[in-house]
Amino acid sequence: MSTRDTLGRPLRDLRISVTDRCNFRCVYCMPKEVYGREFRFLERTELLTFEEIQRLAGIFAGLGVRKIRLTGGEPLIRRDLERLVGMLAAIPNLDLTLTTNGSLLAQKASTLREAGLERVTVSLDSLDDEVFRAMNDVDFPVERVLAGIEAAAAAGLSPVKVNVVLKRGVNEDGMLDLVRYFRGSGHVLRFIEYMDVGSTNGWRLDEVVPAAEILERIGAEFPLEPVPPEYPGEVATRYRFRDGAGEIGVIASVTRPFCGDCTRARLSADGRLYTCLFAVSGHDLRAPLRSGASDEELRQRIEAVWAVRTDRYSELRSAATPRASKVEMSYIGG
Ligand SMILES: C[S@@+](CC[C@H](N)C(=O)[O-])C[C@H]1O[C@@H](n2cnc3c(N)ncnc32)[C@H](O)[C@@H]1O
Ligand code: SF4
């Protein structure tokens, strides 16, 4: 069965945020000035339980979802996450993956793999320890993330994708070091344009390093050629090194928005359904879940939300876009 929105887009991917908390304070995502001691994170009772997540995931799978990505906040700080992985891995025909900052991956990679996780994406913005520590803003050393990436590959969570958000004047000069390091390793680097998600990161267009420039700078040293997309709705545009040393991707969400074939829904840690990363509000699924709704009632509710979906924020983005109330990425799940 395939549910389609007003623009004919099917529902194929679901990103589930398992916590709004994080042990990093990346400057572009959870700036310390906002996410300090005073910040009120969700209480434990507000979070969906693993059983509630599994139940919803099964209903989403019935509506056509084929890929689930666990995210956050930092998903690996949710206690016993491997138990949830095991529960979701039991749902047939689902590709199960996870996005992490890598800080706890060295310890957890093999248990996650054994529980049924298929792949991981690790975020890593710089190989330069000083730059990396400043960007995560909790002084976390880069070598521990690199160890996490190797542990993930060794555990069979491969190919490991490595996400890099480039911020003009902050880590852009480290772009080629990352390419040199990861070329030929089997891990796939993906450069992401810094986005105006949420309203706390003080985003400015002149801090975005456009994908075209990224490709030009990398291609000048390592000639590239395009690779056709693997499936419709793939967010990264792929390129391979002409010398055969693997591939990279660019995610040009600002300069080349891909709303037209966006098949993603997001579930926040407290059970709200969002149909766009740039949404202002979500649809509560926790209340009906906790007040005894049947699977069929939940299915109808989700289908009704998707059927009226019109979102194409990135295509319509303009200087006049209201910014104050957009939901934060650490809450909705990146
Ligand atoms: C919100 S994080 C959640 C998962 C995990 N904590 C991590 O960092 O991988 C998911 C992804 O969103 C990216 N991200 C966060 N804020 C962003 C922004 N303003 N623009 C582009 N990407 C962003 C992060 O770099 C990360 O790759
Ligand atoms: S990008 Fe990930 S690691 Fe960084 S603050 Fe956001 S949620 Fe945490």
Side-chain angles (χ1 to χ4, degrees), residues 63-79:
L63 284 165
V65 163
R66 290 289 163 267
K67 182 170 170 185
I68 288 189
R69 175 175 297 279
L70 297 177
T71 179
E74 173 47 41
L76 297 188
I77 65 173
R78 174 100 186 233
R79 205 182 308 147

Side-chain angles (χ1 to χ4, degrees), residues 218-237:
I218 297 172
E221 187 165 330
F222 302 105
L224 294 167
E225 61 193 13
V227 180
E230 242 165 40
Y231 53 91
E234 189 171 37
V235 291
T237 315

Side-chain angles (χ1 to χ4, degrees), residues 134-179:
M135 282 187 87
N136 64 55
D137 215 9
V138 293
D139 214 24
F140 197 88
V142 71
E143 70 265 23
R144 287 179 52 195
V145 177
L146 293 173
I149 293 172
E150 294 319 317
L157 293 167
S158 46
V160 179
K161 289 181 183 156
V162 180
N163 274 2
V164 184
V165 175
L166 286 179
K167 230 184 139 178
R168 179 75 80 200
V170 177
N171 62 335
E172 59 173 304
D173 289 342
M175 177 191 328
L176 278 159
D177 286 339
L178 281 158
V179 173

